[in-house]
Structures are given as C-alpha cells and as structure tokens.
C-alpha cells in the first residue's frame, strides 16, 4: 500500500494500480475519461483526465514527509497538467482535481469534442447511458461558441461487418475499439485510417470485423459510434429492465444482463432487446462473446414449440398437458428400464428433478446421461479442479497455463480471452494439441502430438517431471505404482522444457478439452492431467488446478448431480424401454445416436422440432433460459443464478416443473412450486451444494475496478451486478490433509488404418438453439472438413470440392478445405454444421468420394 | 574558415567515400573506436556541449548518457524526416556529404554500443535514401559498418527507412511508431525513447537529428575544447541556417551560433533584394512564433537563449523571411491549415482545435468574421495550449497568437462588420452531404 493525496486528503491505496481507478474506488473521485478504460493499457489521447500533479516533498535523509505551516504535506507541483490515466500510483503522489485550472481544462476538452459531434442524442442508441452525454452534463461548459455550420457531416451508417455499425460523426477517436480488438482479443481487425479530423475507424479484415468478441466494442464505445445490428434503433436504454442472467452456451458461466421491455414485436409481451455483459471479475469481467450476445433469438423464435405433442398414427399431433402427462405416467410406471439424456442447457434444478424422477421409476445413476457425451472425469475434478477463489485477473508472471486437446477460443471464448490476458501479464502458455489453434500464437511451448495420443503427450510431461526429480510425492496416493509405470514411458524430449516450466511455476492451470480424444481416452486424459498437477504441487491452492472445457453451460452441474457421459454411451448402445431426452438433439447431431430409435417410448422436452423430436412419442414444450429461473454451474464450479426475464412462450414449462409434476403423480412426493425450493432440496442432498441456497447465490460485492452503476466510464447500468456473483464449491485438494490419487494411465493408439476423422468444436455452429439467431447466419460456416494438402493431393481433391465421407454406416456430405495446419492422415470435421448427424468421437473414415467439383475460380 | 558541416562547398566530391576518407573522413570514428571507451566518447560529446539541432536544443551527449549500459539491444535512430516548412539543411548534408552523417551516427552507435542504426527519411527523400543505402553498402565493404567493425568485437548495421509523408513523424516517438510499421502517432512518455520500453521496438534508443550527428566527427577529431571555441558558451558550434522567402540569395548558410541576424540576412543572404524592407521572420519554420524584423532584433546574436528572449525559438533554424508586402493574416491562415492537415488526430485539443482555428481563420480571410471571432481565435488557441501529448498542438497555436500579438491591425482590417453582430441565428440549411469522406488533402 502507498499513500497518495487527492485534493489534500491522504489515501492508502494498493501500489502499482492506476490513478484513475484508485481515485474512483478509494476516494470516490470520478476523474473523467474517454479513451482510458480500466481493462486496457492507457494511451492518454483524449486529454479529458488532465489534473494538476505533483509529489510530496520528503526529507532527503530520513524520508519523512515535509509539512507546511498548516501541517499538510508540502507538495512540488509540476508546471503543466498531466493525464491521470497514464499515471501509476506511487508513494507521495499528489493530485488536485478541484482547481479552476482543472475545471476549465475539462470544459475545454468537452467543448472540443462536441465541435465535431453531431449531438443527435435524441435518435442515438447510446443516449441515456452515454459517457459523453454524462460527462458533458457534469463537466461541460454548457454553451459553445462554435459555429454550427462549421461542423463536419460524415457517414452515419457504416457497416463494420454485418454485426457492428459505425456512425462516423459520433466517433470521438478514443481508439477503445481498436485497442480492445488488438490488445485483448488478439484480432488485428480494426485500425485508424487517415489522420487529424479525418481520422476514422476502418476494418482491415476479410470478412470485415472478423472477431468473436466484436460486440464488446459497442459496450466500451464511450459514444454511440458503434452499435450492434441487433439492438440499434431497438429501444431506449431507460425503457429497459435489466434482468441478471447467465450465458446459456458456454462452460465459462459468463454473467449477462438481459435488457428487456414490453414490446410490440411480441404483441405487448416482455422480450429481450439485447444481451449485455454483467460485471463479474471472477468470471467474465465485463466481456462476452458474440455467441452469447447475439445468440438469444431462440427465446422468442417463431418455431418455438408451444403445446405438447404426441404420436398418433405415426405423426406427432398437438395434445394437452393432461393427456401427455397421462401417457407418460402410464409408460413410466410399467417401464422395464428407464434412462435419461440431459442437454447442456438444463439447469441444476431441472437435472435434479429429472434425476429424482428416473430414480423413482426404477432407474439408477447408470441411466443418467449427459449430452454432448464427449468428456469424462468428474471424479478428477472433485479432487483437483481449479481451487476455490482462483481468478485469472490475478494470474501473470509465475503462472503457467496449459491447454490440452482444446481449441479454447472456439470452445470457451471467455476463458481464452482471460488466459490470453494473463499471458500478456507474463504468464507462460503451453499448448498441447494435434494441430495449431489461435492460442499457439501466444504460446511459449506449442507441442504437437498425434491425434489419439494426448495421454501419451501428458505422460511424457509426467515422465520428465519425475525423471528430472521435479516432483513432490507427499500428497500423491499410489505414486509407487505410477513411478513403475512411468519407467516404461519413452519420454519425448520435446516435452522436457515445458515439463520444467510447469514444475518450476508458482501456479499452474490446466485446461483439458477432448479434441481428438474418445470418451474412454478422455477419462485417462483427465487423470493424466491430474497426475501432473498433483506431482508438481499445483493443486488445492488459489490459481492452481484443472479446468475441464466442458461442452455445455451446465455440464459441470450435471456431473455434480450424478449424470455421466459413460451413461450416455451405454444408453446409445442399449436404449432403455422408456427414454427421456431433455433439451438436446442427439439424433440430429451424432451418428452414434441413431440407435435411440430403438427405444420403445421416447419422451422429449424441447424448444424446437428436431431430429430427436421426430423419433419421440411425446414432445413437451420446454422453456428457454430466459423465461424461468435456475442455476448453472460453470467449469470453474461456480454455481450462479439466472432470473426469469421474458414472457412465457405458449404453454411451455421449465423442465424441473414438468419432471416434478410427473414424479408427484407417480410417487405422491411433494411437487416443488419454485426453482428455489428445488435448490433448497439439492443443498440438503448434495454435499458440495450445501451453500448454494438462492440467497447465498444472490450475494454481490463491490468490485474493482468500478465499471457499473453511477460509473462514468460506461455510464450504463447493465454492467452493474445485482444478481449475484455466485458461489464456488471447494475441491478435496484444498483440504491440506487429503491424499490425492495419482494413477498410471496408458495411451492405446487405434490400430485401424485410414484417415482419422477428428470432430472439432466451433463456436458458431448449427446447434438447435444458436441457429435460430439469424443475425449470426453469415458467421456460421457451411458444413466442411479440413484436409491436409498431402491427403487432398492423394485423393485428388481440391479446395472447395464436395465429398461424401462414409463413417461406420453413416455418410456425411461436406465441402473440403485444404488446410495447411492439419497434419497428414487427419481430417478435422467441425461438429453440428450439417443437417446430417456427424461423428462426435474420432474415428477412421471409410470411403471418401467426390460428389461435386469446386466451382472454378471466376478470375476476377 | 573551412566549413565543418557543409564541406561539399570546399570539397565538391566529398560525397564519394575515397574523397571523404582522404580528406580526414572516418578519422573521428577510428579514433573513437580504437582510442576511446564508449563512456569516454559520451563524455567528450557532453563536454563539447553540442546541442540537438532538430529543434529542442537538448545536449546530445547527455541524451546518449541516458541509455542503460546493460541492455543487450540498443538502437540509434537518425531523424532525417526534415519536415518543418522551410528546412532543407539535412537534405544538403545527406545529398552532398552523406558520409559525415554516417560517420557521426556510427560514433553515436559506438558510444551507446548500439546494435543497429536506422536512418528515417521523409518519404520525399526517395533518391536521397537510395543514395544513402549505396553509401552504407560501400562503408560496409570497408568494415566501417557491419560485423566486427575495424576488427573489434562490436557489430552494428545501418539501415535506411522511408516514411510516408507525415509532418508528425518528425516527432521522435511518432517516428519510432512509423518505423515500427504503426500509425505515425506520438507515444505516451514516460517511458522515454532512451528507456527500456520506450524506444524502437521498445528497446533503449537514441534519436538524433542529421545535423547534430554531422557535428560529431569533427568534435572527435579536434576535441571538445576546440569545438567550444566556435559559437557562444551556451550555444557552441556551427549551425546551418536554411534561409528562404523574400531574400535575395536563399539557401543554406553555415555560420557559428551567435552570429547576428544582420550578418546572416544582409551579408550572406543579401537582404530582400528588392526595395522592400523585411517585415517579419519565422525563425523555425511554421512552428515557432513569428518575430517582427526590427533594427534591434537584427543585432541580436542567433543563439538558443537569445531567440527565447525574443519570444520565439531557434528550432531547426529554418528562416522564412517576409517582406512588407506580406499579408500576415494570410500567412497565419496558411500555417494553421498546414497544422490542421498534419495533426495526427490522436489528442482531442489538437485534432479539434486546429480544425476550429482553421475554420475561424477561413471566416477572417473571407471577410465573414467579427471582432468577436478575433477574441475567439485567441481563446481557442489558449484552450489548446499545453493540453496535448506532443508539441504539434502548441506549435499550431503559435502562428495565430504571434500574428495576433504583433500584427493585430491587419486582422482588424479584415473585419467588415466591426460591431459584434452575432452570426445569423438560423443556421443555413445543412446540405445533406452524408458522405463527405475525408476532407480533401491540402485544402
């Protein structure tokens, strides 16, 4: 802590922090800024934050502060005013913010800015939550002597891509958008063009503004220059009611705010007008991906199912809830076997009631499956998951971030963003995957392994750690056995340096995905990662541990409540007599789910018609995340609440309510009347969730830096977190006494010959919910497969050819892309891009036939 | 006395390496490398009190001494952007006597143990830059540049880079940005170029003007004491004055600092050459405040200190002379338009202020202004003063404030409606020019 003086008052503030941030947080002194943003390096270009600055005079020998006659410290002031935003606090720093000189400087800068600003606030989307507006009200001169006719008139609707529009008149050239894209998102897509008054923002990428984080620039834009195609001219900020919610797509648990209002588009009902980030410094800071921001349109899509359906004469027809329930109850009562597959967007409450129902009608935990069923290792997470209280904001020098078998930006963009920021602060990044991904640009160690041999790669790391005597075995249970097994591992030399970096780091975080890994291999891969973490002592402490890159928003919650991917695999192999599929579309996505047709009776809860509802006997309309409340558990095991935001569509119900009603009819248990009551039952039954009562989850805290509420950096209310910051549950490694299991794992390479098809995950896919956001349709690539140049040549295929790939009885027609980053012998096939189901696990391709030639280049 | 900088006037072929070498060329460099440690070289230059010739007049030797010793990578950047209107001294050095610059830069590189030297030329110096490259190649062959220079352990290469035509890139941090391939905009300081994190590619860097470095070989050969005998104690050494405008013999004149204006303007440049008298002088291109030419002023010695006392700066010593036929309002208008055109747009006061001032001056020139507008000119200029990252902002207000101070009556003559009548209340119907893209260049 250091002492700084603001307007003559001393404050104790943390050393090394930014003056503007601490003045606001500790002294409640809002130094006005336009270009400065607490999440980015200062540039000092808008000149709004000019203050008088000086240093306290100290006695040269004793170092004590010299005092003047009034007993206040003597200060040597600099002759010119300085920008506060470029100043890091140091002991004895003094500023004056309330003098005439400073007040006049602020008036001057506001007046200058407004000479080139159209002042079209009445038709501006930002009006009402605009920093320029707010700061003009607070610091502006009130009048200007600038001649109105001398204003420049510039283009007002410049598309920077199809998602973001630029109003050149409103832009005040603060470069926040450029700096965000460049520095934080790592996307070199925006730039300044021209100079002086002609300085303008342009996009320099093709496709334009090619970034998965582009929407964030509209939030940080201090004027209405950048607006989203989704929200512009949609509503005025003061009409909007902000409802705290959680990202329904990713495992990061990004905190969002649903801006809602009564709208004619819904015939007067409440709908979501936009999705905004909500500040949670533990989770997503103030960022969300474009998928989260623009992917909300499914909540009120015209195709939403509005009534229950049941099968009559082989077609699904509308029915009533009563009739549907009766059918379901009859079937469940007499069922010889029952199973359930739970989708990635089911809340903990839904999962609990579904579980209770399945158990009540004779099912077991072995019949509770999760979807997508690509990842395993819930037990490993319980031991060595990232420790409670960890925060990427506090990671930097001394931290090693390891990415295993994941394309993190596509699978969990917010984690990618935060891991990259940690890297920019000095953290070391190690990437282990079969092909390069965006994170490789920032990695110190980019280590390629053969797809299918991820476990072998981690074993190499472990072997180097143990052989080099870098390990600490004091907490490792079963180390002797592991050591014995490691003797047989031929440690690849390429891994030696990375192993040393991991062993020597202060903190290590491992992201473990499942690219190119089968479900069986994944359980071993997670254990392999755990072995490394345990043997290097990087468990149970803040900023250490394993983060599984789960495929869904609440996969962690499902695992916590007893669901497993192994159960799904079993259900796909041997479908039960009665199958409940809740909120997912296995049949339409995965070729391995074709078998589900063989179940006698299929109950599906869904928001839309899918290939899975097509095999259903009863379809029940399910509410989207926006219509109901509930909780999701993030990949960092943070349980977070979301709240009901929009009006209910049709006769849909939340899943928990549906399953609770059915169970009530079967076993006469008390049907819960609220999601909170369901959670209350979970807190009593599931040890990890004992502290997850709704009241606890709604707790908020003051966050640093301040970017919400009355704050003038942003000026809006959406960032403000009123919904709760969530509660993490601790892992067993956090108990210092606990022994942790290290287990030898081996990698069995597939012996099958042929091209290996590796399914990959893309952020923008044709998943049944996301595809309903038509605004994103141009960002979703066509169904394609990436071939290495060598394989393409061998098969006489060209970039753009259409091919039919045969896979274990199924076939898939895709366009091919010849991609140099793909290793020979491998085809990467992004999941969920086609109407046909594709593989979810790596498998060897059968025949590959060209079905259409690439269009010849047009030559222009 | 023989020329020190413009040696081509004495020895026409000095631009050839052999001629340069036989006439004492590279002696300073060889002496530095073989007889002195880097610290000694810095001390000699500090001792000589050589002041930066680019405009700021900061001690060159002290600038070198700020470079941290233990950093492995360090750079010398030669500022050959020479973009101040009316400045053409560096051009003559590089055109006619390039090896003297190259030698000076290599001495500097040796003094700070730099790993590379970059010469940043303005975009218009196309031919000159290619000639420099050829010169560097020849010097490289002679082992004066490159690996293990003169058989020692020190290696340093030299490169020439062409800018893309921006005045702001003469500002050192904008120059560094441009050199790195970024937009030519000044950087936040600290860190300063001499510090880690502030220089070229964020490594410690010395940025020196061409003329400054051209002084260095002579200092090494003849010693600091000899050098200080030229000029005045505070401003020692020779200085090239680029004289242009209403003079009989415009051109570059190398005279010792401390020479009086009269000597330069009349004895060398031959007065106006017409029957008109001098009216005003821009002593450092467009960026320094204009000085009225008076008898008393003509007897002032030209030094960094004396120009300060006259309310102006010596700057790069590009003297633009204006005789009594000059319309000072028009001149100020041209200058503010220049600054408006060259403002990089990074800082609000400069970006918006130059635009506003230019608009106001337009009103004055077109006879649409009122007395209120003159006040406004002054107020806007004061509003800008001292609020930006770099000096362009403060330079931009000089032509307005100085001409208003010395030649206010000329402004008043432009006012057709002296009474402070307000502008028409109803704004003229705004043309729906939604696509007025960038203002046409050079308007």
């Amino acid at each position: 802590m250091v002492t700084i003086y603001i307007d003559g008052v001393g404050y104790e503030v943390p050393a090394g922090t930014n003056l503007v941030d601490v003045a606001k947080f500790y002294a409640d002194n809002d130094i006005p800024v336009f270009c400065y943003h607490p999440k980015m390096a200062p540039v000092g270009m808008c000149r709004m934050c000019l203050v008088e600055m000086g240093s306290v005079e100290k006695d040269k020998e004793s170092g004590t502060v010299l005092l003047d006659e009034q007993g206040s410290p003597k200060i040597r002031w600099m002759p010119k005013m300085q920008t506060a935003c470029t100043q890091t606090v140091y002991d004895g720093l003094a500023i004056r913010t309330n003098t005439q000189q400073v007040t006049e400087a602020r008036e001057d800068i506001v007046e200058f800015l407004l000479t080139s600003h159209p002042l079209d606030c009445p038709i501006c989307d930002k009006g009402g939550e605009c920093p320029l507006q707010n700061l003009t009200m607070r610091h502006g001169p009130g009048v200007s002597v600038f001649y109105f006719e001398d204003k420049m008139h510039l283009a007002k609707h410049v598309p920077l891509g199809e998602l973001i529009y630029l109003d050149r008149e409103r832009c005040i050239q603060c470069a926040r958008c450029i700096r965000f894209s460049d520095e934080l998102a790592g996307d070199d897509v925006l730039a300044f063009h021209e100079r002086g008054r002609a300085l303008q923002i342009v996009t320099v990428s093709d496709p334009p503004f090619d970034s998965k984080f582009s929407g964030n620039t509209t939030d940080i834009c201090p004027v209405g220059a950048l607006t989203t195609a989704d929200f512009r001219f949609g509503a005025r900020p003061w009409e909007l009611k902000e409802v705290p919610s959680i990202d329904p797509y990713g495992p990061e648990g990004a905190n969002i705010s649903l801006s809602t209002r009564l709208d004619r588009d819904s015939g007067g009902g409440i709908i979501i007008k936009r999705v905004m980030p909500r500040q949670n410094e533990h989770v997503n800071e103030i960022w969300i991906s474009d998928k989260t921001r623009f992917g909300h349109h499914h909540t009120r899509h015209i195709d939403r199912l509005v009534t229950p359906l049941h099968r009559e004469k082989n077609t699904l027809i509308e029915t009533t809830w009563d009739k549907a329930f009766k059918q379901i109850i009859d079937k469940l009562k007499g069922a010889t076997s029952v199973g359930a597959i739970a989708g990635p967007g089911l809340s903990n409450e839904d999962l609990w009631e579904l579980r209770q129902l399945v158990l009540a009608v004779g099912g077991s935990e072995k019949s509770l499956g999760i979807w997508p069923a690509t990842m395993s290792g819930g037990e490993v997470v319980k031991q060595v998951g990232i420790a409670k209280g960890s925060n990427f904001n506090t990671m930097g020098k001394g931290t090693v971030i390891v990415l295993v078998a994941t394309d993190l930006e596509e699978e969990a963009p917010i984690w990618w963003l935060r891991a990259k920021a940690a890297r920019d602060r000095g953290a070391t990044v190690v990437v282990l995957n079969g092909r390069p991904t965006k994170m490789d640009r920032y990695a110190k160690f980019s280590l390629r392994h053969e797809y299918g041999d991820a476990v072998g790669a981690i074993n190499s790391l472990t072997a180097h750690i143990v052989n080099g005597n870098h390990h600490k075995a004091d907490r490792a249970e079963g180390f002797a056995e592991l050591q014995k097994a490691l003797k047989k591992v031929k440690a690849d030399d390429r891994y030696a340096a990375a192993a040393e970096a991991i062993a020597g780091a202060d903190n290590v975080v491992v992201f473990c995905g499942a690219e190119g890994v089968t479900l069986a291999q994944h359980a071993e891969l997670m254990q392999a990662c755990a072995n490394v973490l345990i043997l290097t002592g990087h468990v149970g402490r803040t900023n250490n541990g394993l983060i599984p890159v789960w495929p869904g928003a609440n996969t962690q919650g499902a695992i916590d409540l007893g669901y497993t991917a192994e159960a799904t695999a079993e259900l796909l192999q041997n479908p039960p007599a009665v199958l409940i599929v809740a909120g997912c579309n296995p049949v339409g996505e995965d070729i391995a789910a074709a078998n589900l047709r063989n179940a006698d009776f299929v109950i599906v809860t869904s928001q839309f018609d899918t290939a899975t509802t097509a095999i259903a006997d009863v379809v029940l309309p399910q509410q989207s995340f926006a219509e109901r409340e509930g909780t999701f558990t993030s990949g960092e095991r943070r349980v977070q609440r979301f709240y009901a935001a929009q009006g209910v569509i049709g006769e849909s119900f939340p899943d928990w309510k549906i399953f609770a009603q059915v169970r009530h009819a079967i076993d006469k248990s008390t049907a819960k009347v609220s999601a909170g009551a369901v959670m209350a039952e979970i807190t009593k039954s599931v040890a990890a969730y004992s502290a997850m009562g709704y009241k606890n989850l709604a707790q908020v805290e003051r966050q640093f830096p301040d970017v919400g509420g009355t704050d003038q950096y942003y000026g809006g209310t959406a960032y403000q977190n009123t919904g709760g910051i969530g509660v993490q549950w601790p892992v067993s490694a956090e108990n210092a006494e606990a022994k942790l299991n290290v287990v030898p794992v081996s990698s069995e390479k597939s012996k099958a010959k042929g091209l290996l098809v590796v399914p990959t995950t893309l952020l923008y896919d044709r998943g049944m919910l996301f595809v309903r956001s038509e605004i994103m349709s141009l960002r979703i690539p066509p169904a394609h497969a990436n071939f290495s140049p060598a394989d393409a040549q061998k098969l006489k295929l060209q970039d753009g050819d259409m091919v039919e790939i045969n896979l274990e009885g199924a076939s898939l027609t895709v366009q091919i892309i010849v991609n140099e980053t793909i290793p020979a012998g491998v085809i990467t096939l992004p999941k969920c891009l086609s109407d046909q189901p594709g593989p979810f696990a790596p498998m060897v391709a059968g025949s590959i036939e060209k079905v259409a030639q690439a269009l010849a280049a047009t030559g222009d | 006395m023989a020329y020190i900088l413009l040696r081509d006037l004495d020895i026409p072929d000095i631009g050839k390496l052999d001629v340069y070498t036989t006439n004492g060329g590279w002696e300073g460099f060889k002496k530095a490398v073989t007889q002195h440690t880097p610290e000694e070289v810095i001390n000699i230059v500090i001792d000589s009190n050589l002041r930066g010739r680019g405009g700021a007049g900061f001690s060159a030797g002290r600038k070198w001494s700020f470079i941290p010793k233990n950093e492995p990578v360090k750079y010398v950047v030669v500022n050959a952007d020479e973009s101040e209107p009316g400045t053409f001294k560096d051009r003559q050095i590089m055109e006619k006597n390039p090896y003297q610059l190259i030698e000076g830069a290599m001495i500097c590189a040796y003094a700070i143990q730099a790993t590379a030297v970059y010469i940043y030329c303005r975009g218009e110096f196309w031919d000159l830059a290619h000639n420099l490259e050829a010169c560097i190649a020849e010097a490289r062959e002679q082992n004066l540049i490159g690996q293990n220079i003169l058989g020692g352990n020190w290696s340093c290469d030299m490169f020439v880079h062409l800018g893309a035509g921006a005045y702001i890139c003469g500002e050192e941090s904008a120059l560094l940005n441009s050199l790195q391939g970024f937009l030519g905009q000044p950087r936040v300081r600290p860190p300063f170029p001499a510090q880690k994190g502030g220089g070229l590619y964020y490594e410690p860097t010395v940025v020196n003007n061409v003329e400054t470095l051209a002084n260095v070989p002579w200092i090494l050969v003849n010693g600091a004491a000899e050098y200080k005998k030229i000029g005045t104690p505070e401003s020692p050494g020779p200085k090239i004055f680029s004289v242009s405008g209403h003079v009989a013999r415009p051109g570059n004149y190398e005279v010792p600092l401390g020479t009086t204006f009269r000597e330069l303007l009349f004895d060398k440049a031959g007065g106006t050459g017409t029957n008109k008298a001098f009216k005003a002088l821009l002593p450092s291109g467009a960026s320094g405040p204009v000085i009225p030419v008076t008898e008393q002023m003509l007897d002032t010695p030209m030094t960094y200190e004396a120009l300060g006392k006259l309310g102006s700066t010596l700057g790069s010593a590009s003297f633009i002379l204006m005789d009594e036929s000059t319309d000072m309002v028009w001149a100020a208008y041209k200058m503010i338009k220049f600054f408006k055109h060259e403002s990089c747009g990074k800082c609000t006061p400069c970006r918006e202020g130059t635009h506003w001032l230019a608009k106001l001056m337009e009103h004055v020139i077109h006879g649409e202004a009122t007395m209120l507008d003159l006040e406004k000119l002054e107020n806007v200029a004061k509003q800008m003063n001292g609020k930006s990252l770099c000096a362009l902002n403060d330079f931009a207000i000089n032509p307005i404030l100085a001409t208003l101070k010395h030649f206010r009556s000329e402004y008043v003559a432009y006012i057709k409606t002296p009474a402070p009548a307000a502008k028409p209340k109803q704004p003229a119907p705004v043309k729906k020019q939604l696509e007025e893209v960038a203002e046409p260049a050079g308007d």
Side-chain angles (χ1 to χ4, degrees), chain A residues 265-307:
Chain A
D265 283 359
S266 69
I270 297 172
I271 64 167
I272 300 170
K273 295 301 290 183
R274 63 174 183 186
V275 175
M276 293 286 282
R278 174 163 60 101
Q279 188 182 16
N280 190 335
E281 291 298 321
H282 307 281
V283 180
N284 57 320
E285 303 172 39
I286 52 167
W287 314 122
I288 54 175
S289 71
D290 286 355
K291 184 174 192 177
T292 310
R293 186 182 302 267
F294 301 120
H296 62 90
H297 291 271
H298 66 88
T299 63
R300 59 172 186 287
H301 196 272
I302 188 92
D303 292 344
R304 277 281 300 267
L305 294 175
V306 290
T307 60

Side-chain angles (χ1 to χ4, degrees), chain A residues 43 45-47 108 111-113 115-116 145-147 150 153-155 172-173 192 195-197 199, chain B residues 188 341-348 351-352 356 363 373 376 383 387-389 423 430 434-436:
Chain A
V43 286
M45 56 201 270
C46 76
R47 319 303 290 177
D108 294 347
E111 186 176 12
F112 276 135
L113 285 172
T115 59
S116 290
V145 287
F146 186 80
Y147 292 138
D150 289 348
H153 289 284
L154 303 165
I172 61 167
Q173 286 89 9
F192 270 137
R195 65 177 181 228
R197 269 299 296 120
L199 200 66
Chain B
V188 174
H341 182 64
E342 294 296 346
S343 168
C344 80
K346 185 166 184 172
C347 303
T348 307
R351 180 182 68 234
E352 307 296 346
W356 194 352
H363 290 303
D373 287 323
K376 219 183 274 179
Q383 218 168 302
K387 293 206 180 75
S388 283
L389 210 57
K423 292 291 290 182
V430 180
L434 291 180
E435 270 302 338
E436 187 196 322

